[in-house]
Amino acid sequence: MKNNIRFLVLYPVSILYFLLLVGCCQHKPNAIYRIGVSQCSDDAWRKKMNEEMEQELIFHPNLQLSIRHANDNSELQCAQIDSFITEQVDLLIICPNEAEEVKPAVSRAYDAGIPVIIADRQVTGEKYTAFIGGDNYAVGQHMAIWLIQQATLHHSTAKQPLYVIEIMGLQGSTPCIWRHKGLIDGLKDQSNIRLLGSGNANWLAAPARVVADSLLRLYPQTNAIVAQNDIMAIAAAEVVEKLAYAREIYKVNASPITILGTDAMTGDGNGVEAILQGKINASVTYASRGDLVIQSAAKILQGEPFLRDTVLPIMLVDRNTAETMHLMSREIEHNIASIKALQQRIKLLWDMSKMQRNLLYTTVGCLVMVLCLLIGLWWEYRYRRRIRAERAEHARVIAKQQEQLEAITAELEQTKVQQSQDELFMQHLQKQIEKHLNNSQLNVEMLSELLGVSRTQLFRKTKALTGISPIELIRHVRLRKAQQMLRKTDATIQEVAYEVGFTSASYFTKCYKEFFGINPSVEQHGT
Ligand code: FRU
């Protein structure tokens, strides 16, 4: 029974305890949230934003990102958003390629109950949870401010208006629309600035070369180019250089063409480097701030208050600012590298501590199990020892009882033998007395000879079996026989006395009276 208890309780409890310990080691403090990121493109600006988001995850270990980019294709982006909906991600971050084309997929996600953060480019309608991005109208206005500065310089030397061409991004995207609007509004009432023409180059270098080439050939008097991003501005700069070399332009206007881009990103091949290298003249910042996007996502997912619309500030970057930015960016890059190294180190230490903690828990669990096992074994050992002792005691009692039984049986046997011997002896004795009853000489000596035993033996045995001596026994037998004769025959007292071995009738009478309490004459037949 106790054995069963051990198996039923002790072992399962210890195993449960061990599993619980292991379970605790694996326990994650916060729920894991899966975030889908739908990027419209995969250029340097997008890569920077993705990197900023990834880096921010250090502070949000419970967030997981899955990034997909749509290659500037709205249809593909809609399909990707739909697959995120099917995968039931916890939140979506969407940078829509085109406002109208991507809107239905965004609405589907929003209607499916998935929080949607729109970043950078916008969608039409109100079906989104939060927006984070630059003020594109302000970008256009900053372009106009820069052109006004250029026009003033240009007019003071050339005494002519500033002729401008514009290279725009993707037609249906909101930055393209709002930057253009900001520019137009900013140039209103600027009589010495003429916007000669605009063309869409979809934010890409190759189309920008085509657009720049055709606009410059169409308007060779151009003094300034504004491009809605640095990629297109740098592409336009290459075209300007090529045409200038071929003296295709400057036939009408010999002054150099100044170029303004947008984004002002530091790093190889980007706007700030291009300004420092003299490829373009200025740029307007357009921050990506992936870190802010993730912070907002975390707030939404954890049910904390968040800003619905976050509009990022912008600024103009000329050569001087570009130099400062370049130096600062190198500092920042250095710091980021240190942070990354630290991050690696922290991860390593964290992994190690996790491993050690798991090891500790496992060791403690194992020790508890071993302890339980030892207790179980000790328990069993004690149980078995007790059972063994009980069995031995039982066997001892049984053996003793057996012994007693055997002794009793032997005694019984002995008694039986003795009884039968005594019976035989008594029969023999009785027979001999009766046989020699009329012999007055019958005494102890004769009787012992007749029975073949010593006088002492005869005395002891007769006394033990009858309670009286042999001599008394002979007398009793004589008297009983006499009584029978007196009652059944007509013999006289004297005849009876002689017949039973008395030599004198008076002595017989005396003995008879002593034995029976009456005179023998009272017994006589017929009286
Ligand atoms: C990157 C980009 C940037 C531009 C932004 C507008 O994909 O083209 O160069 O500023 O998108 O959304």
Side-chain angles (χ1 to χ4, degrees), residues 40-41 43 45-46 120-121 175 179 203 228-229 263 286:
C40 53
S41 184
D43 51 38
W45 193 92
R46 304 284 151 196
D120 153 45
R121 302 183 192 175
R179 286 175 196 182
W203 309 109
Q228 286 187 344
N229 73 5
D263 287 344
Y286 188 65

Side-chain angles (χ1 to χ4, degrees), residues 353-414:
S353 90
K354 234 166 55 184
M355 226 172 70
Q356 281 169 351
R357 202 181 51 197
N358 285 354
L359 202 76
L360 183 77
Y361 284 143
T362 315
T363 313
V364 170
C366 285
L367 279 177
V368 168
M369 268 187 75
V370 167
L371 200 73
C372 289
L373 216 77
L374 283 177
I375 291 173
L377 287 175
W378 179 68
W379 199 342
E380 186 171 320
Y381 166 73
R382 272 187 30 161
Y383 171 73
R384 288 201 174 166
R385 204 179 54 175
R386 220 194 54 231
I387 292 288
R388 257 204 312 274
E390 275 175 13
R391 278 189 193 148
E393 176 63 14
H394 198 224
R396 205 180 57 75
V397 169
I398 286 178
K400 202 174 166 192
Q401 284 174 350
Q402 186 79 25
E403 246 172 51
Q404 282 173 349
L405 202 68
E406 276 168 16
I408 289 167
T409 317
E411 213 169 280
L412 269 173
E413 284 297 315
Q414 183 65 32

Side-chain angles (χ1 to χ4, degrees), residues 182-249:
L183 176 71
I184 300 298
D185 290 352
L187 293 182
K188 220 187 281 167
D189 309 326
Q190 294 297 324
S191 51
N192 55 351
I193 300 176
R194 306 266 160 80
L195 182 59
L196 301 173
S198 305
N200 287 101
N202 306 342
W203 309 109
L204 303 170
R209 278 187 212 105
V210 177
V211 172
D213 189 83
S214 52
L215 284 176
L216 283 171
R217 284 180 198 279
L218 198 60
Y219 306 110
Q221 70 276 39
T222 300
N223 311 118
I225 301 173
V226 286
Q228 286 187 344
N229 73 5
D230 289 334
I231 295 172
M232 297 186 295
I234 294 164
E238 286 165 16
V239 174
V240 168
E241 206 180 280
K242 212 169 76 194
L243 293 179
Y245 182 75
R247 302 201 65 77
E248 295 282 342
I249 52 176

